[in-house]
Structures are given as C-alpha cells and as structure tokens.
Amino acid sequence: MEMNRKLVMIPGPTPVVRSIQSEMGRETASFKDPDFVKDFKQVNTDLKTLWQTDGEVFVVAGSGTLSMEMAVSNILKEGDPVLVLSHGFFGDRMIELCSRKGFAMDTLSSKWGEIVPLKEIEAKLSSKHYKAVIVSHVDTSTGVKAPVAELGKLLEAYEDTLFVVDGVCSSSGEPEYMDTMGIDVLFTASQKAFGVPPGLSIVWASSKALQRRKSLGEIREYYVDFEKWLPIMQDPSKYFGTPPVNLIWALKESLRMIKAEGLEARYERHKKVGQSIQAALESLGFTLLANENVRASTLSNALYPSGVEDEAFRGALGKEGIVVAGGLGDYAGKMFRLGHMGNVDVNELVYTISAIERALVKVGYEVELGKGVGVFLEAFQA
Ligand SMILES: *Cc1c(COP(=O)(O)O)cnc(C)c1O
C-alpha cells in the first residue's frame, strides 16, 4: 500500500508543523492591519534579540539566494577587495555572484568534505586589506561546517573587514551569535532550520554593516537595498514592497516555538540529532562526506556503500514515504543528502531511519533490520 504521507527530509524545505501550516492558511490581512503590524514588529524584535545584533534585521519575500544578493550588495561596491571561502556548491554560488558584481575577489576553496585551513586564511588576510570575508556556515552540498567563531576571532584584528556568514543551512540549528562571533552580516531563508515554508529571505546586519551601507551612497540594486527597507523594519506600518503576510505569521509561530524550546536547547538538540543520525548511517554502511571534526548538525551527506545505486535507493525510499535529496556536483549519483534540522521530532527521525533500512533491503543490500534504529536510539537517549 502507499504510505499515508511523504515526509520531506531534504535539506530544505524541511517538515512544516501543523501550527505553522495553520498560519499559512489564515485569511490574509492587509499589511496595514494593526494586528499584523504588531506581529511583524515582534518578529523583527525577536530575530534581533535572539541573534544578538546591535543593528537591524531585514525580512523580505525571497529565497536564500536573494539573501545572498542582499547581503553583498549593501556592503561592497564594484572593485572592492573581498575574500570568499568556499566549502562546496553554495560557496561556489557566492563566488559566481561576487564575480557578476565585479568585486575584486580572491577565493579559497577546500576539497569537498574539508574546510579551508585557518592558516591559509590568515596568510591572505595579512597580505591584503579586504572589505569583507564571506563564508557559508554549513555548505549544504558537503555537510561541512565552517569554524565561524574562530574566523570571527581572526577578523577582530581587521576593523574594516566585514564578516559575512551564509546561514541558510544553519540559522536556528547551529550556534550563531552576531556580537560575540563578530558577524556583521548573517543571512538565511525560511525553509531550512526555521521549518517555515519557502519564501522569506532573512538578513541581519550589524551597526558596522549599516554604516558601510550608508558610506556607499546610492547603490544600483533596488529591491534589496537596506536603505529602502530600514524604515519598514523599524515601523512595519510603512510601505516599500508588500510583505508576505502569511509567511511572516508563519515565521512568528516558528519563533514562538524557538523561544519556548530555548535557542540554546535547540542548538543542543540539533547537535545530538546530528551525531545520532550520523552514527546510525555509518552503522548501516554509509560513509559521511564531511570530515568528522567539521561535520554539520543540520544535515548528513551520506555516500553509498558499493552495490547501492542512487536512483534505485531513493526510489525505494520514496515508496517508503521518505523524500531525500541527491548529491550535487561530482557527488551526483554517489550519495544522498538527509536534512534533519528545524522542527523534525524524534519520532520522525526514527521512522526515517527505519525507512532507510527497508529501502536498503529492497535494493538488495544486506543489512540487519533495526540496527540503525538501535544505534540512533542509543546515541539519542545517552
Ligand atoms: C539552500 C541554500 C542556499 C540557497 O537558498 P535558496 O532558498 O535555495 O535560494 C544558499 N546557501 C546555502 C548554504 C543553502 O543551504
């Protein structure tokens, strides 16, 4: 028989809980409606407080890629020297974006599964004055986590170098503190660790980043201009572009859940979930692409054991009710990517692993049923 539901366990969009879905289903109000204005204000305040910025947050209709564009367009102008670190596909996307913008860009790229050594970054920093350094916290193509706190420390010595972090696959799942980590621009999107449907770009900017924006004068970009949105973020009853009312309500509900759980507890939960899932996958014969010391908590990129074919496996898994993503770049066909961030609970994780076991059996790979589930539970309960 067909499964009752398809659980979307890709690295975004992540499963959306009922209370968030309900916000999406509400009758849409005017963006001038006083109750909506209050809710939007609350969302902005919560985002700033929780991520500890002395600056501003921008919440606009868009995806993570728009957030990337908004982040760089407001702090750099053509010809500005910038250092982009790449740990995979999304780092490379940032390189492509910065190249289109005509920045004077230097890049440091790691082998997939590894990170750029801090020593190489230090050498670059001391050789030249950069206006910004950009890194993705978790690169979704590799499952690698960048040492954001250490990078922030390193950059303390460079007063005029802004630190930009792509948090699309990490924000609310991996620890990010703008003030203590020295992050000047952090950006994310609604459909990953926030567990909200796709459609919102979220960009935090420190006061230093806002000053940089001011110093640029008029920029070429229009929709993503901080200066256009600042009055709205401070007083959401004002108008620039129509806010996605229902998505903002959905984000408000997600933030209510985050506050109820506690952001620190949420980070701890993600860490435990990541370690437990990764132990379970290894016990079933998968190899993780990311080196152990740089492994993200929000997703797992698992290389197939020999004899397991990508299409057959993901097809069988889909029939068991679980949707996962394929590999990107050179890893297409060689691995699958499993998201386990946001509001996914332990029951959903257990049934994901049990479905992975059943799918392995269906494609003819010998595995002891229940083994992965056992390993997961032992690690999770510890
Ligand atoms: C998903 C993702 C993006 C792109 O986000 P979209 O919403 O797909 O545009 C950028 N960076 C990282 C690290 C991501 O995981």
Side-chain angles (χ1 to χ4, degrees), residues 208-226:
K208 210 161 131 187
L210 293 173
Q211 270 164 19
R212 172 72 66 76
R213 167 62 197 92
K214 284 233 177 325
S215 76
L216 299 181
E218 188 175 291
I219 61 172
R220 283 185 198 165
E221 293 78 7
Y222 191 74
Y223 180 73
V224 296
D225 187 354
F226 284 174

Side-chain angles (χ1 to χ4, degrees), residues 231-285:
I232 286 79
M233 295 305 138
Q234 283 153 7
D235 173 10
S237 70
K238 291 191 174 136
Y239 168 76
F240 174 53
T242 306
V245 172
N246 290 72
L247 277 165
I248 286 164
W249 277 331
L251 180 59
K252 177 172 175 261
E253 171 59 12
S254 167
L255 286 163
R256 186 200 62 75
M257 291 174 68
I258 290 171
K259 288 187 290 181
E261 181 178 13
L263 192 52
E264 288 302 320
R266 190 176 176 92
Y267 294 149
E268 280 305 310
R269 169 171 62 84
H270 277 80
K271 191 168 158 193
K272 182 142 239 182
V273 164
Q275 285 168 347
S276 311
I277 289 272
Q278 285 152 8
L281 289 171
E282 285 181 324
S283 78
L284 294 174

